[in-house]
């Protein structure tokens, strides 16, 4: 499992998230690569150090914040195993998430990356306020990618070799995942999503408030321009996608 933590993460949320991918799983991971992206408060550092004492945790402490894309790039490079699952520091994985994903990847060796559905909650995990449903098959996902990201990033499990061949994670504000999936798509990788809800995602006003402004629009426009230049979308589709994002 590869995850990243930075200074603004809530220590209690981090503890819940890490427990959900370790003691809470029916199929427990052999390794958790945890990248600490720059200095963190003492309370958060204490939580991380408590997990660091476990033999499955490989904690990488970065002296300065490098951003999520760079942190995940380092996490993937340092992972020992050929299959890697992603997890965020404040969400909750379903207890059978890894078991279901590994079973699918074992039965479908051609599949390079497998995601699933998410629910979103505010305050309490039982207070479900939304779902994000993504398509299931490779063709449906590739078509969906022309308008929106076809994966819920926090749910993905992928083959390390395929991600490295596509150039691994790279720094791209708010769209590190979308940028990687597009490069994997261009490299001919095979995609799939499970119909099951794999992760319950912590949501709220702060999450939506961050997704706005010119910096966020420029990131989105850059993704669309990449698809245009790579002949993944037509000029009319590019203009439609960019206009919609500008309004948002």
């Amino acid at each position: 499992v590869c995850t990243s933590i930075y200074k603004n993460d809530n220590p209690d949320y981090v503890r819940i998230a890490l427990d959900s991918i370790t003691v809470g799983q029916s199929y427990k991971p052999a390794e958790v690569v945890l990248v600490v992206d720059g200095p963190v408060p003492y309370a958060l550092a204490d939580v991380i150090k408590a997990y660091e004492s476990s033999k499955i945790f490989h904690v990488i402490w970065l002296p300065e914040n490098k951003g999520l894309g760079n942190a995940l790039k380092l996490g993937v490079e340092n992972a020992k195993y050929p299959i890697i699952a992603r997890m965020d520091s404040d969400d909750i994985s379903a207890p059978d998430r890894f078991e279901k994903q590994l079973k699918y990847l074992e039965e479908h060796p051609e599949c390079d990356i497998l995601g699933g559905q998410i629910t979103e909650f505010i305050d309490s995990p039982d207070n479900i306020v939304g779902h994000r449903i993504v398509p299931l098959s490779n063709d449906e996902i590739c078509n969906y990618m022309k308008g929106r990201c076809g994966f819920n990033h926090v749910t993905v499990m992928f083959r390390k070799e395929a991600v490295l061949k596509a150039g691994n994670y790279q720094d791209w504000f708010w769209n590190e995942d979308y940028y990687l999936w597009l490069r994997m798509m261009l490299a001919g990788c095979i995609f799939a999503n499970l119909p099951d809800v794999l992760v319950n995602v912590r949501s709220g006003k702060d999450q939506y408030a961050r997704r706005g402004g010119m910096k966020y629009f420029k990131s989105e426009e850059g993704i669309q321009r990449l698809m245009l230049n790579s002949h993944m979308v037509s000029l009319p589709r590019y203009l439609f996608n960019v206009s919609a994002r500008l309004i948002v």
Side-chain angles (χ1 to χ4, degrees):
V1 184
C2 179
T3 188
S4 174
I5 292 175
Y6 83 123
K7 63 180 181 179
N8 290 346
D9 285 325
N10 182 303
D12 292 331
Y13 298 167
V14 168
R15 188 180 295 108
I16 292 170
L18 294 179
D19 282 350
S20 81
I21 57 168
T22 52
V23 296
Q25 285 295 311
S26 59
Y27 191 105
K28 294 174 176 53
E31 177 189 45
V32 178
V33 180
L34 195 162
V35 181
V36 185
D37 192 12
V40 296
Y42 289 117
L44 185 53
D46 287 344
V47 170
I48 298 166
K49 288 175 183 176
Y51 286 94
E52 191 173 20
S53 62
S54 167
K55 63 180 181 180
I56 72 166
F57 274 82
H58 176 194
V59 181
I60 301 171
W61 299 83
L62 299 181
E64 58 182 282
N65 182 272
K66 294 289 189 179
L68 181 61
N70 288 315
L72 295 181
K73 178 178 184 290
L74 189 61
V76 170
E77 289 171 348
N78 281 271
K80 298 176 184 176
Y81 295 91
I83 294 178
I84 301 172
R86 265 287 291 126
M87 180 61 181
D88 271 354
S89 56
D90 53 1
D91 302 327
I92 303 172
S93 280
D96 56 355
R97 174 192 166 185
F98 296 159
E99 183 179 357
K100 286 179 176 177
Q101 289 185 284
L102 283 169
K103 184 175 185 293
Y104 183 94
L105 290 177
E106 287 172 358
E107 293 175 350
H108 299 83
E110 76 285 356
C111 181
D112 295 299
I113 176 169
L114 174 67
Q117 317 306 320
I118 62 169
T119 50
E120 296 179 323
F121 72 95
I122 294 177
D123 298 329
S124 167
D126 297 326
N127 183 28
I128 304 296
V129 296
H131 296 73
R132 184 167 189 262
I133 307 301
V134 286
L136 306 183
S137 72
N138 180 69
D139 289 346
E140 290 172 325
I141 294 169
C142 289
N143 187 57
Y144 193 88
M145 284 279 194
K146 296 175 182 179
R148 297 179 64 194
C149 184
F151 289 103
N152 290 309
H153 188 197
V154 296
T155 70
V156 299
M157 182 180 280
F158 50 72
R159 302 189 192 276
K160 177 179 176 178
E161 182 181 18
V163 166
L164 291 179
K165 281 184 177 179
N168 204 350
Y169 283 96
Q170 297 178 21
D171 185 39
W172 193 300
F173 179 73
W174 271 114
N175 278 300
E176 297 89 353
D177 55 330
Y178 201 173
Y179 183 38
L180 174 56
W181 315 149
L182 291 174
R183 285 181 282 119
M184 292 180 73
M185 188 171 158
L186 290 168
C189 292
I190 302 299
F191 300 155
N193 279 311
L194 293 175
D196 312 75
V197 172
L198 300 182
V199 180
N200 198 8
V201 174
R202 194 177 298 274
S203 186
K205 293 180 179 178
D206 290 343
Q207 182 191 41
Y208 293 107
R210 290 195 298 266
R211 297 208 166 204
M214 186 53 66
K215 187 175 182 181
Y216 185 62
F217 170 72
K218 287 181 178 178
S219 172
E220 290 278 342
E221 189 278 330
I223 288 288
Q224 298 301 318
R225 188 162 9 97
L226 170 67
M227 288 196 286
L228 176 66
N229 292 338
S230 301
H231 307 291
M232 300 170 76
V233 297
S234 64
L235 179 59
R237 182 62 185 268
Y238 161 82
L239 294 172
F240 173 81
N241 289 346
V242 170
S243 298
R245 282 157 173 78
L246 181 60
I247 293 169
V248 172

